[in-house]
């Protein structure tokens, strides 16, 4: 897994030990967390990674470069399947609406689409989560399906 970063973020790929600690609700001594981290879904994302243990398609801590604080996480639900990967992300409330999620999704999606086995990156969100919908649209995703319980988006290599 290459070291991914944006102008303002370092995307640190979780190790299996770090993922186990997050699932158990334990701190990560190497990292300082922003207020509100870990988030409610952090353990779920780390748990999905622990099911497949493929770091290339795992979870990344979003580390704000200006102060070194972990402000969220983003990553893949698992390795590619049928040419597609599913991505997820979350940012602490104090760092929202500042473009961090869009930067992280852009870096992860760009890397994924450069892999020969990936032709599409997918994401889904709740129908009323306007902030998340905005993140996906700004990152170049297009809406595929607007269901009653979920809205589905995709970003293609072409």
């Amino acid at each position: 897994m290459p070291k991914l970063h944006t102008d303002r973020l370092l995307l640190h790929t979780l190790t299996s030990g770090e993922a186990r600690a997050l699932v158990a609700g334990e701190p990560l001594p190497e990292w300082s967390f922003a207020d509100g981290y870990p988030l409610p879904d952090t353990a779920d994302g780390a748990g999905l990674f622990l099911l497949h243990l493929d770091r290339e398609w795992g979870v990344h801590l979003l580390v704000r470069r200006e102060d070194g604080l972990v402000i969220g996480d983003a990553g893949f639900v698992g390795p590619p399947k049928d040419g597609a990967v599913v991505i997820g992300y979350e940012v602490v409330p104090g760092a929202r609406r500042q473009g961090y999620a869009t930067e992280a999704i852009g870096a992860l999606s760009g890397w994924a689409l450069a892999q020969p086995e990936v032709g599409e990156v997918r994401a889904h969100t709740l129908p009323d989560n306007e902030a998340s919908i905005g993140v996906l649209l700004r990152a170049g995703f297009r809406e595929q399906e607007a269901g009653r319980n979920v809205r589905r988006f995709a970003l293609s290599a072409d």
Side-chain angles (χ1 to χ4, degrees), residues 36-109:
Y37 193 84
L39 290 142
D41 291 334
T42 297
D44 291 341
L48 287 171
F49 163 63
L50 290 172
L51 291 176
H52 61 79
L53 291 174
D54 185 339
R55 286 188 73 203
E56 278 195 336
W57 304 103
V59 177
H60 307 264
L61 297 178
L62 305 182
V63 182
R64 190 167 46 202
R65 294 171 86 173
E66 81 179 45
D67 59 11
L69 293 177
V70 175
I71 61 166
D73 49 70
F76 304 101
V77 172
K81 184 175 180 182
D82 300 325
V85 290
V86 178
I87 199 165
Y89 51 92
E90 57 183 349
V91 174
V92 296
R96 291 180 186 159
R97 298 184 132 9
Q98 298 174 47
Y100 292 118
T102 302
E103 285 183 36
I105 294 306
L108 286 168
S109 297

Side-chain angles (χ1 to χ4, degrees), residues 78-150:
K81 184 175 180 182
D82 300 325
V85 290
V86 178
I87 199 165
Y89 51 92
E90 57 183 349
V91 174
V92 296
R96 291 180 186 159
R97 298 184 132 9
Q98 298 174 47
Y100 292 118
T102 302
E103 285 183 36
I105 294 306
L108 286 168
S109 297
W111 177 83
L113 290 171
Q115 307 313 302
E117 65 270 36
V118 177
E120 186 173 74
V121 178
R122 298 176 181 157
H124 61 270
T125 189
L126 296 172
D128 61 350
N129 191 339
E130 294 300 324
S132 184
I133 292 164
V135 165
L136 293 168
L137 293 174
R138 282 188 297 280
F141 283 70
R142 297 196 189 282
E143 188 160 9
Q144 303 296 302
E145 177 185 348
R148 181 178 168 146
N149 297 320
V150 68

Side-chain angles (χ1 to χ4, degrees), residues 5-17:
H5 60 84
T6 69
D7 289 341
R8 300 183 301 155
L9 294 172
L10 165 70
L11 282 69
H12 167 74
T13 308
L14 280 182
T15 65
S16 59

